[in-house]
Amino acid sequence: MKKRERVICLVLSATLLLNLSCRDHEEEEPVSPVEPATVSYTWPSAEHDASGIILVSSPGYEFTFGNMEKAAEEHRNLVEVLEKNRIKVVNLKDIIEDMPPDSQRTAQQMIVPNLYFTRDPFIVTPKGVVIGKMRNQLRRREPVLAAMCLHHLGIEPVYKICGEEAVLEGGDYLPFGTMAFVASGLRTNRAAIDEMMAADVLGHDTIVVVNDRKLWNNEMHLDTYFNIIDRDLVTIVKDRLNAKTDEIYYLPVEIFARDGKAGERYYRKIESDLSLEEFLTRRAIRIIPVTVFDARTFANNFLCIAPRHIVAVDGQSKELQQMLKEAGVQVDWIPMKELLKGNGAIHCMTKVLKGMNYVSPVAQ
């Protein structure tokens, strides 16, 4: 079977398994690959859920940030690590190759240098795909191309951001089970967040709006200064912690909860005037601080592929490595230099399309 045909089969086979009964997989040690019949795939509800299907886009001729050959090699290494962890990896470039000629030509004309950051053009909520709208005008074609590719895989969005002033980028959304963190800052704004809450397409009971006042391009998205490892463990860049309320590093949050009353808004604000750090501490969620030095090499932009199991950029400080080890975090470190020149790392380069649950052989 040709490579591009396998891409379609991977996603279609996952879709057919959506209705299988499932249970959480609790093994911590690596195990041999499971047969397709022993897993089911669902929309991911939390960053720390086990990843099942991940969308990537291998850098090619359009990569203009550095050496294309070196970047492509680093990307292949990332894919190999994901596949060794039993994740089905779908390449956007292969999807384009499988399109009918007219659609393929249209899609190829929309390929831009940032395309390998598959996190950005859309988000995947427990309700399905929401197509975003990029702040940068030069990247406005990426959500259109992403929608084309998803359509080719048989995945139709549940919503598309349409407000004139609204902008939404995928790195600003981190699902956390019944809760979700969404940043309002440099690349995503309140207009888009309000639009999604009004349309009820997020699928979470509680929405935590993180108001980023730093507005710095090196930390353009939420996932560059805040990330999730498990239901009780997160990371935050250190200068965001203990910041005073009048400093740009301070991260104030607003909490919205489902109203549930007929004829009223789906969500209403229930709390504000507190920091992200305070909100997490109240819920006994441990914070691992990431130094500014480590953050500059995108230590915070890791991908969580299962509870307390992350894929991260190699070369971080011994201090951070030790803190992760003491917290019981398994880390697959990946050397990555050329790809980082695009101002993003592993979380930016991956989009979890489906989470994976394991089915008990006894229940089959």
Side-chain angles (χ1 to χ4, degrees):
M1 184 181 293
K2 295 181 179 179
K3 181 178 180 182
R4 64 187 185 186
E5 294 171 337
R6 291 201 302 270
V7 171
I8 308 303
C9 291
L10 288 176
V11 176
L12 292 180
S13 63
T15 303
L16 292 173
L17 290 166
L18 281 174
N19 294 321
L20 292 177
S21 60
C22 59
R23 65 173 176 81
D24 290 333
H25 180 61
E26 299 176 349
E27 291 190 50
E28 296 182 355
E29 297 299 323
V31 295
S32 58
V34 292
E35 294 300 320
T38 65
V39 299
S40 67
Y41 297 88
T42 59
W43 299 120
S45 62
E47 282 290 316
H48 53 271
D49 285 347
S51 299
I53 304 175
I54 288 180
L55 178 70
V56 302
S57 181
S58 54
Y61 67 88
E62 77 284 354
F63 183 83
T64 57
F65 304 109
N67 185 288
M68 184 190 74
E69 287 78 14
K70 291 180 180 178
E73 182 180 353
E74 291 175 353
H75 197 274
R76 283 194 296 270
N77 185 32
L78 169 61
V79 171
E80 289 175 3
V81 170
L82 295 176
E83 290 178 336
K84 286 179 181 178
N85 282 286
R86 301 177 303 192
I87 295 169
K88 298 179 185 295
V89 180
V90 180
N91 196 317
L92 187 143
K93 296 290 184 63
D94 291 334
I95 301 173
I96 293 174
E97 287 184 13
D98 192 64
M99 290 179 176
D102 289 345
S103 297
Q104 185 178 129
R105 283 192 291 270
T106 300
Q108 288 174 338
Q109 291 173 358
M110 289 190 281
I111 294 176
V112 293
N114 286 295
L115 191 62
Y116 73 105
F117 294 134
T118 53
R119 176 72 49 173
D120 296 340
F122 62 97
I123 67 173
V124 183
T125 79
K127 288 195 171 185
V129 170
V130 176
I131 301 296
K133 187 164 68 171
M134 314 296 283
R135 172 83 69 177
N136 189 329
Q137 288 290 339
L138 295 177
R139 301 189 66 187
R140 286 288 173 95
R141 66 184 71 178
E142 291 178 51
V144 179
L145 177 55
M148 287 181 61
C149 292
L150 292 171
H151 174 77
H152 192 68
L153 294 176
I155 299 174
E156 299 299 336
V158 296
Y159 193 74
K160 178 182 178 181
I161 296 297
C162 55
E164 184 177 353
E165 302 298 326
V167 287
L168 169 70
E169 299 192 7
D172 283 318
Y173 166 76
L174 295 176
F176 198 61
T178 59
M179 183 189 308
F181 297 91
V182 189
S184 174
L186 188 63
R187 295 303 183 94
T188 296
N189 61 15
R190 280 298 296 273
I193 298 171
D194 290 344
E195 183 179 328
M196 290 189 291
M197 287 195 289
D200 194 25
V201 294
L202 287 166
H204 304 275
D205 293 332
T206 304
I207 305 301
V208 181
V209 177
V210 182
N211 293 292
D212 179 23
R213 304 188 304 197
K214 193 174 181 179
L215 304 179
W216 190 34
N217 200 50
N218 283 357
E219 294 179 3
M220 68 180 75
H221 293 131
L222 180 64
D223 62 3
T224 58
Y225 56 87
F226 170 64
N227 211 337
I228 296 166
I229 298 177
D230 205 344
R231 66 182 65 186
D232 60 351
L233 186 65
V234 301
T235 60
I236 299 181
V237 176
K238 203 168 185 177
D239 64 4
R240 305 278 189 157
L241 298 173
N242 303 314
K244 297 179 181 179
T245 57
D246 60 347
E247 295 178 332
I248 61 171
Y249 304 102
Y250 183 73
L251 289 172
V253 299
E254 298 171 88
I255 317 302
F256 294 82
R258 286 186 180 278
D259 196 319
K261 297 179 181 179
E264 296 186 8
R265 291 175 62 89
Y266 287 102
Y267 293 91
R268 61 185 176 88
K269 186 188 294 187
I270 61 171
E271 192 172 8
S272 59
D273 300 324
L274 73 161
S275 69
L276 176 60
E277 180 183 3
E278 182 182 358
F279 176 80
L280 295 168
T281 302
R282 282 184 186 180
R283 285 154 182 77
I285 298 173
R286 177 182 171 186
I287 300 171
I288 293 179
V290 175
T291 66
V292 174
F293 175 80
D294 283 330
R296 295 296 75 78
T297 49
F298 296 95
N300 198 77
N301 197 245
F302 55 81
L303 174 69
C304 186
I305 59 174
R308 275 178 160 74
H309 187 177
I310 66 174
V311 181
V313 176
D314 195 14
Q316 307 307 327
S317 67
K318 292 182 179 179
E319 178 188 7
L320 178 58
Q321 294 182 46
Q322 184 61 30
M323 285 190 291
L324 290 169
K325 183 178 180 180
E326 290 175 354
V329 181
Q330 178 182 344
V331 187
D332 292 340
W333 297 104
I334 299 183
M336 189 173 287
K337 182 179 180 181
E338 212 66 25
L339 288 171
L340 298 187
K341 293 178 180 179
N343 205 27
I346 296 169
H347 195 264
C348 295
M349 300 173 199
T350 53
K351 172 67 75 174
V352 179
L353 291 180
K354 294 289 178 72
M356 179 167 61
N357 292 307
Y358 291 78
V359 180
S360 170
V362 178
Q364 295 182 25

